[in-house]
Amino acid sequence: MDPRWQKLGELLVNYSTKVKPKERVMIAMIEPDTFPLVQAVYRAAVKAGAFPQVQFLSETLRHSLLSYGNEEQINWVPEIEAQGMEWADVYIGLRGAHNLFELQDINAETLAANQKAMGKISTLRWEKTRWCVIRVPNESFAQAAETDLETIMDMFFDSCFLDWEHEVKTWEDWAEKLRHGKEIRITGKKTDLSFSVEGRTWVPYGGITNMPDGEIATAPINGTENGSIYFEIPAVLGGRLVKDLTLAWDSGVLVKATSSTEQDFLRSILDRDDGAGKIGEFALGTNPKVTRFANDILMDEKMGGTVHIALGRAYPECGGTNKSAIHWDIIKDTRKEGTVYLDGNAILKNGKITL
C-alpha cells in the first residue's frame, strides 16, 4: 500500500476529527476505490481506542434507486444513514470519485427530489456529529481533470499534507481583517454582485471538516444581495454540469437563473424550498496546492485564487440564518479576471489575495 494512505488516515483521525477513546466513528466508504483509505482510517481509529463502523455507498447503487424507484423511494431518507448520524460521535466520509455522468439519464425532477432527501442526511451530519469529508481521486477523477492518475494523486496528497497549523495561522489573520468589513463586491467577466457581511463571522477552514481544505467563508446577510454573477466553469451537482450559469438578485430576491445546459435541473433545484435561491455562503479559496479543476466541488472550491458561493443552507458558525435542504457550492475562477472588494478596497485581484 502507498504509505501516503496511512499518513492520511492518521491525519483524518488524529488531526481533523481528533478521535478519542470509546468514541463511535462512522466511516462512509463511498465507492470501492476508497478501500486503501478505509483501511488506513479504520486502523488509526482502532489505535485511538475508538469503535469504528464502516458503511458502503455508491453512485452506481444510487443510479438503480433513481432508475427503478417509485416516488416514495426517490424521496426516501435512508433510515440507517440517518440513524448512523445519531449513533456516531464522529463521521468520516471517504467520497470516492465516480463517473461524472453516472446519473445523466435520470430526469431532472427525480434527481432534484433525491438530492433534497440526501440533503437531510447532510444536515444531520453537521448537526449531530464531529465530521470530515474527503474526495478520494481515481481514474475517473483524473479524466475529469484532463490529466493522468499519477499527476492528480500527487496534487491530492500535496494538498492534504500542508502544514495546517502554519496555514491556518495565516488564514486566521486574514479572517480577522475581513471581520471588520461591511460589504463585499465581486466584479469580473459578466459579473458585478454585492452583498452585506456586516456583523458576520469569517471562518478559516484548515483541514478539520474537509480534506483537502483551504477556504475562508462567511454568510451574506440575505436580502442585501444585488447584481449578477457569471461562472466560467460548470456548476456541478448530482453528476450534472450546469454550464455558463448566471445568477442575479434584486434586494435578495433571485430574479435570474440561466445556463446553457441543464435548465430543467437548475430550476428543479432552485424550486426545492424557500431557501434554495438565497446565498448561504461566500468564500475565498486558499489552498496553494490545488491547481487543476476537476469538475468536483469538494476539491475545486479550495483552489487558491478562486471564490465560491453556496446556494441554500448557511453554516451557523458564520452567523448565517438561511435554511434549506440544499447547499450547492459554485466556483468562480477569478485567477485571470476578477476582483473582490471589501468596503471598496480590493482584497483579491486576479487570483492574488491582498489582505
Side-chain angles (χ1 to χ4, degrees):
M1 182 190 297
D2 187 327
R4 293 179 295 184
W5 290 121
Q6 193 59 46
K7 181 179 178 181
L8 183 54
E10 291 172 357
L11 182 68
L12 292 170
V13 169
N14 299 320
Y15 171 75
S16 298
T17 56
K18 296 178 175 60
V19 172
K20 302 178 183 66
K22 298 186 179 181
E23 286 193 314
R24 299 180 179 92
V25 180
M26 177 64 74
I27 304 169
M29 176 186 174
I30 307 173
E31 309 301 344
D33 288 346
T34 62
F35 189 61
L37 186 52
V38 171
Q39 289 179 288
V41 171
Y42 193 95
R43 183 183 303 170
V46 170
K47 290 168 66 176
F51 299 103
Q53 175 71 57
V54 178
Q55 177 188 36
F56 179 73
L57 302 165
S58 171
E59 284 295 283
T60 304
L61 301 180
R62 187 185 181 199
H63 185 273
S64 294
L65 173 68
L66 299 181
S67 295
Y68 305 110
N70 57 35
E71 183 177 355
E72 182 179 6
Q73 291 171 306
I74 299 300
N75 289 280
W76 172 55
V77 179
E79 287 94 341
I80 290 179
E81 284 191 70
Q83 291 168 10
M85 300 304 176
E86 299 280 355
W87 170 85
D89 300 298
V90 174
Y91 172 92
I92 302 176
L94 310 181
R95 298 181 175 181
H98 56 271
N99 176 4
L100 193 59
F101 302 102
E102 180 74 38
L103 306 179
Q104 193 64 36
D105 61 324
I106 305 300
N107 74 67
E109 189 64 31
T110 296
L111 183 58
N114 186 249
Q115 203 71 33
K116 181 178 180 179
M118 293 301 97
K120 294 179 180 179
I121 296 293
S122 296
T123 299
L124 286 172
R125 182 191 75 228
W126 63 261
E127 286 181 342
K128 301 291 185 178
T129 74
R130 196 164 70 254
W131 57 272
C132 183
V133 297
I134 179 169
R135 175 70 74 225
V136 184
N138 58 12
E139 286 284 2
S140 295
F141 192 94
Q143 290 171 5
E146 299 182 353
T147 189
D148 62 282
L149 182 59
E150 182 178 0
T151 296
I152 209 66
M153 291 305 298
D154 285 344
M155 185 190 85
F156 166 69
F157 283 119
D158 287 347
S159 62
C160 289
F161 296 150
L162 297 181
D163 182 342
W164 289 108
E165 291 184 0
H166 172 77
E167 297 291 351
V168 168
K169 184 179 184 304
T170 298
W171 300 342
E172 181 59 56
D173 289 343
W174 290 349
E176 183 59 33
K177 294 177 182 178
L178 291 165
R179 289 169 191 149
H180 295 290
K182 296 181 179 180
E183 183 182 70
I184 286 289
R185 182 186 177 199
I186 310 165
T187 65
K189 184 178 181 181
K190 304 178 186 177
T191 297
D192 193 340
L193 174 66
S194 62
F195 45 80
S196 175
V197 291
E198 185 174 5
R200 293 301 203 217
T201 300
W202 291 79
V203 179
Y205 291 96
I208 302 300
T209 56
N210 281 183
M211 187 63 70
D213 213 343
E215 62 177 291
I216 304 174
T218 193
I221 296 176
N222 297 127
T224 67
E225 306 96 328
N226 284 288
S228 63
I229 184 168
Y230 170 78
F231 298 93
E232 296 84 351
I233 63 170
V236 184
L237 186 68
R240 298 297 174 92
L241 272 65
V242 183
K243 298 181 180 180
D244 300 306
L245 176 62
T246 297
L247 301 172
W249 289 266
D250 183 0
S251 298
V253 177
L254 185 66
V255 294
K256 180 181 181 181
T258 62
S259 62
S260 62
T261 63
E262 302 293 351
Q263 268 282 305
D264 290 344
F265 177 68
L266 173 62
R267 180 48 54 194
S268 295
I269 291 296
L270 295 175
D271 289 344
R272 282 300 92 187
D273 52 46
D274 291 341
K278 299 176 182 178
I279 303 178
E281 176 191 355
F282 170 71
L284 309 172
T286 58
N287 193 315
K289 297 297 185 180
V290 179
T291 56
R292 302 185 71 97
F293 284 114
N295 288 322
D296 183 271
I297 291 172
L298 202 56
M299 187 80 76
D300 293 346
E301 69 171 0
K302 309 306 190 304
M303 185 181 292
T306 66
V307 301
H308 61 273
I309 67 167
L311 294 177
R313 184 175 65 249
Y315 290 123
E317 62 263 36
C318 296
T321 58
N322 192 46
K323 297 184 182 300
S324 175
I326 303 301
H327 182 88
W328 183 9
D329 292 294
I330 310 172
I331 299 100
K332 181 170 179 62
D333 189 1
T334 50
R335 293 175 300 166
K336 293 183 180 179
E337 180 182 356
T339 304
V340 178
Y341 300 91
L342 181 67
D343 297 336
N345 299 309
I347 60 170
L348 183 148
K349 185 174 179 64
N350 297 339
K352 303 294 183 182
I353 293 177
T354 56
L355 287 164

